[in-house]
Amino acid sequence: MSFRPVVLGSLALVVVFSPPSRRASVTTKYKIETKNETSVDLSAFGQPNQEATIRISAWVAVTVGDTVGGRTAHVVVDSIKLESTTPQLTQASADSAKGGTIHGFVDAAGKVNNLTPTPADNAVMLEVQGVIHTFFPKLKNGARTGDHWIDTVDVNTTSAMANTKSKFVVTYTSAGQETVGGVSAIKLTTSSTSTTTGTVESPMAGTMQVEASSTGTGVYFVAPDGRYLGGNAVANSDQKLTMAMAPAPIPVKSIRTVTVTLVP
């Protein structure tokens, strides 16, 4: 029996912020690198653990502009490179995401809404969408170096491949400033926990119920105007998958790392 890593996850890090001042549309290019290492416990079937690793590198352009009630965000995927030990994900599936788009809205409170990928049911596009959720960070007003604050974030994913609800609780620390891309950036460090419930679809096993929890840490950089300048994060998750054909829930452990850098 073969399982694709089921929940690639999303970064536990959307920052609480106040709306930036009105400005013209700005396009910024990034390189997104994700690595998902997954171990599926198949002892319920009398089989050894199944190990899988998926690495994705995506080059994207993100355009943010003001609109009534907030800001629009439009993402164009320039190219994608995939390395995968699972037969279900191939470079051909990554190539089909080239030229894909993600469109969404950031409301006046700084929350990301209605991120919609096209093509909608491409696994690589959904992975990129999960990272884009973190591209709109915002500092706590008046925060000084060493200050902490907490935010909760709800992320709902609905597609032909997954229907899940996730809740993140994130503790932020203002950690001074560093220069990124020639800009004096505000540095944030984070620690987080998350829970996920819902259903996912597997080509081999059909519909599966998923329950998951994770812990994570991150470092992120924000320009004075609120523009995201990149960062990195790591999360460890434990999942339980329940399906009709399995005699017991299947444990899955995952380690996910994400690095985002500016592209000149």
Side-chain angles (χ1 to χ4, degrees):
M1 177 170 292
S2 176
F3 290 92
R4 181 176 66 83
V6 179
V7 179
L8 293 180
S10 58
L11 290 180
L13 115 115
V14 177
V15 184
V16 184
F17 62 98
S18 57
S21 58
R22 190 169 185 83
R23 58 185 184 270
S25 297
V26 176
T27 299
T28 307
K29 296 181 178 180
Y30 303 89
K31 181 182 180 181
I32 297 171
E33 299 172 277
T34 68
K35 179 181 179 182
N36 292 276
E37 300 174 279
T38 303
S39 177
V40 182
D41 182 348
L42 296 179
S43 58
F45 296 94
Q47 299 182 21
N49 287 4
Q50 181 180 344
E51 312 291 335
T53 300
I54 300 173
R55 292 183 177 91
I56 295 174
S57 297
W59 288 261
V60 304
V62 180
T63 301
V64 177
D66 288 327
T67 189
V68 176
R71 291 174 289 162
T72 58
H74 186 72
V75 181
V76 178
V77 178
D78 179 68
S79 61
I80 292 180
K81 179 182 178 181
L82 173 70
E83 299 176 49
S84 173
T85 62
T86 65
Q88 294 90 347
L89 285 178
T90 64
Q91 184 59 44
S93 64
D95 290 340
S96 67
K98 183 177 180 179
T101 62
I102 301 171
H103 192 75
F105 175 73
V106 185
D107 66 23
K111 300 295 184 181
V112 182
N113 297 279
N114 302 323
L115 276 185
T116 305
T118 303
D121 296 319
N122 181 288
V124 176
M125 285 296 294
L126 293 176
E127 177 77 339
V128 174
Q129 177 188 352
V131 180
I132 295 299
H133 266 286
T134 72
F135 273 42
F136 304 92
K138 177 177 167 181
L139 290 172
K140 176 183 177 182
N141 288 338
R144 298 180 179 182
T145 300
D147 283 356
H148 307 278
W149 61 98
I150 297 175
D151 188 30
T152 58
V153 180
D154 296 310
V155 177
N156 297 330
T157 300
T158 302
S159 72
M161 300 178 63
N163 187 351
T164 61
K165 294 183 178 180
S166 300
K167 178 180 288 291
F168 300 97
V169 179
V170 190
T171 300
Y172 301 94
T173 300
S174 178
Q177 292 186 315
E178 289 189 19
T179 300
V180 179
V183 177
S184 181
I186 299 163
K187 180 180 179 181
L188 302 175
T189 60
T190 67
S191 62
S192 63
T193 61
S194 74
T195 57
T196 298
T197 59
T199 60
V200 295
E201 300 296 328
S202 166
M204 299 294 295
T207 301
M208 297 182 289
Q209 297 285 334
V210 58
E211 296 182 14
S213 61
S214 73
T215 60
T217 59
V219 178
Y220 306 97
F221 300 96
V222 186
D225 64 358
R227 185 167 57 103
Y228 179 56
L229 298 179
N232 58 80
V234 61
N236 291 270
S237 69
D238 288 290
Q239 305 172 39
K240 287 186 177 180
L241 306 178
T242 303
M243 64 190 76
M245 63 185 298
I250 299 173
V252 180
K253 292 184 178 293
S254 300
I255 301 175
R256 172 186 167 85
T257 59
V258 178
T259 302
V260 178
T261 53
L262 294 176
V263 175

